[in-house]
Amino acid sequence: MNIFSYILALFTSVGAMTMFSLIMSVISNCEFRENILLSKLMSGHSLNEKESPKYVILGWLAHLFMGGFFLVIYTYLWYNTALLQHVLGSILFGISIGILGTLGWTMLFKMASNPPQINYKIYYMQLIVAHIHFSLGNFLIFSLLG
């Protein structure tokens, strides 16, 4: 996979995940976008406070960095196993990294001095589904571009 394909997969998968989280935010009237939550955790601001561009950028960079980390694992599994070369395998990968993501977010929220006031139960459930979208975004790009 060349660098263009890797970057395309990264933005497609993180974009699909974030779009799902945005839709869930609108439906539930609660902030679930990972980049926004990361920016709030880094700044210490509440969800109601306006965020500086610095923290908005840092939130996106942190989200893209974690997406890149999971994409490296996805890439390795794609080329070295048959696990992800089917939709079901990709969905199972999404569930697995969603569970890991839930554990990571739980630790971040517990360590935060000012954790966001959100419905954590719904957030964690939607986070697992968001990671399925992430994985399926990768599946799409890998299937098309290999």
Side-chain angles (χ1 to χ4, degrees):
M1 175 176 260
N2 63 40
I3 190 71
F4 170 77
S5 299
Y6 186 84
I7 292 171
L8 181 62
L10 177 64
F11 281 96
T12 300
S13 58
V14 172
M17 177 179 181
T18 306
M19 187 60 69
F20 176 78
S21 295
L22 171 63
I23 292 167
M24 290 303 297
S25 294
V26 171
I27 290 170
S28 66
N29 198 30
C30 192
E31 185 60 73
F32 291 149
R33 291 173 293 173
E34 297 78 15
N35 59 304
I36 300 296
L37 294 174
L38 286 166
S39 70
K40 297 300 180 182
L41 288 172
M42 287 186 264
S43 70
H45 292 153
S46 73
L47 289 172
N48 297 328
E49 294 178 81
K50 183 166 172 49
E51 203 55 77
S52 73
K54 169 185 162 184
Y55 287 107
V56 171
I57 291 168
L58 287 174
W60 271 113
L61 290 175
H63 193 211
L64 287 166
F65 176 80
M66 286 308 301
F69 172 75
F70 286 127
L71 180 54
V72 166
I73 296 169
Y74 192 97
T75 303
Y76 176 81
L77 292 173
W78 180 272
Y79 287 115
N80 295 293
T81 71
L83 290 173
L84 301 180
Q85 297 187 12
H86 303 283
V87 171
L88 180 59
S90 215
I91 290 170
L92 292 174
F93 180 78
I95 292 169
S96 299
I97 64 172
I99 292 168
L100 288 175
T102 298
L103 295 172
W105 277 101
T106 300
M107 289 190 299
L108 283 174
F109 291 141
K110 287 190 185 295
M111 294 185 319
S113 59
N114 186 20
Q117 300 302 308
I118 61 173
N119 184 326
Y120 291 101
K121 184 177 180 179
I122 293 173
Y123 176 68
Y124 293 136
M125 289 187 302
Q126 79 83 37
L127 187 65
I128 291 171
V129 178
H131 280 86
I132 293 170
H133 284 78
F134 171 88
S135 189
L136 291 174
N138 286 322
F139 180 80
L140 174 69
I141 298 302
F142 278 66
S143 295
L144 292 175
L145 303 179

